[in-house]
Amino acid sequence: MAIYREKDIFERRNAANEAKRALLERFKTRPAADDPAVLARQAERKAILEARAKREAEKQRLKQERLAREAAERAAREATEEAARREAEAKAAAEAQAREAEENERIARVLADDAARKAKRDARYAARKARVGRTPPGFTAR
């Protein structure tokens, strides 16, 4: 069984110094800004950014076209629905007017029938009174 041994301060200090030295070496060996490899990498990054910007612009243009197309379709659909609603309202109004005219005609027929029945009844009553030949006191024949 292995026994865990804690590092002492000297080992920790040496490890930190080695890490600092490695960072310094990496910084010193870094290529200069005018190095062809750095310039090529910068050009490649610039090309990638430009391509990304073009793709974003194209995506935005397509999105705007889609939104405009959807808005036009929605407006056309709403106009169609509005026309259908107006047509249905006009049809319902015409049907209501026709029902009202039919109802008025029926009422007029009923009133005319009642008037004709009353006229027949009055004619029968007058004929009966005329057959009898006399009129009761206070009654005048029409």
Side-chain angles (χ1 to χ4, degrees):
M1 185 159 132
I3 296 176
Y4 177 72
R5 187 177 78 77
E6 206 172 298
K7 293 182 181 179
D8 64 351
I9 187 146
F10 298 111
E11 288 174 329
R12 289 195 309 264
R13 187 179 61 195
N14 287 338
N17 285 336
E18 286 298 318
K20 286 179 187 175
R21 204 171 306 124
L23 277 174
L24 185 62
E25 285 300 317
R26 225 176 75 213
F27 181 75
K28 285 181 180 177
T29 60
R30 193 178 75 186
D34 60 348
D35 189 33
V38 172
L39 293 176
R41 219 171 29 242
Q42 285 178 347
E44 183 181 341
R45 287 180 186 155
K46 185 176 180 182
I48 290 172
L49 289 176
E50 288 174 358
R52 183 180 300 152
K54 284 180 185 178
R55 285 193 310 268
E56 287 295 322
E58 180 69 15
K59 191 161 56 167
Q60 281 289 27
R61 185 185 63 78
L62 291 175
K63 183 179 179 181
Q64 292 299 325
E65 287 177 1
R66 181 180 52 83
L67 290 175
R69 186 175 56 251
E70 288 174 357
E73 290 172 357
R74 185 172 43 253
R77 185 175 55 249
E78 288 174 358
T80 303
E81 290 171 357
E82 179 68 20
R85 186 187 58 79
R86 285 187 192 152
E87 185 178 324
E89 285 178 357
K91 188 176 180 180
E95 288 175 0
Q97 191 175 14
R99 279 195 306 271
E100 186 177 335
E102 194 175 291
E103 182 70 17
N104 288 342
E105 183 181 323
R106 188 183 63 77
I107 290 171
R109 262 194 331 266
V110 167
L111 291 176
D113 290 346
D114 285 346
R117 278 196 305 270
K118 185 175 181 184
K120 283 183 184 180
R121 187 187 70 213
D122 289 346
R124 284 193 312 266
Y125 185 68
R128 186 171 65 234
K129 289 297 179 182
R131 279 194 308 264
V132 171
R134 67 178 186 84
T135 59
F139 182 77
T140 58
R142 290 185 198 171

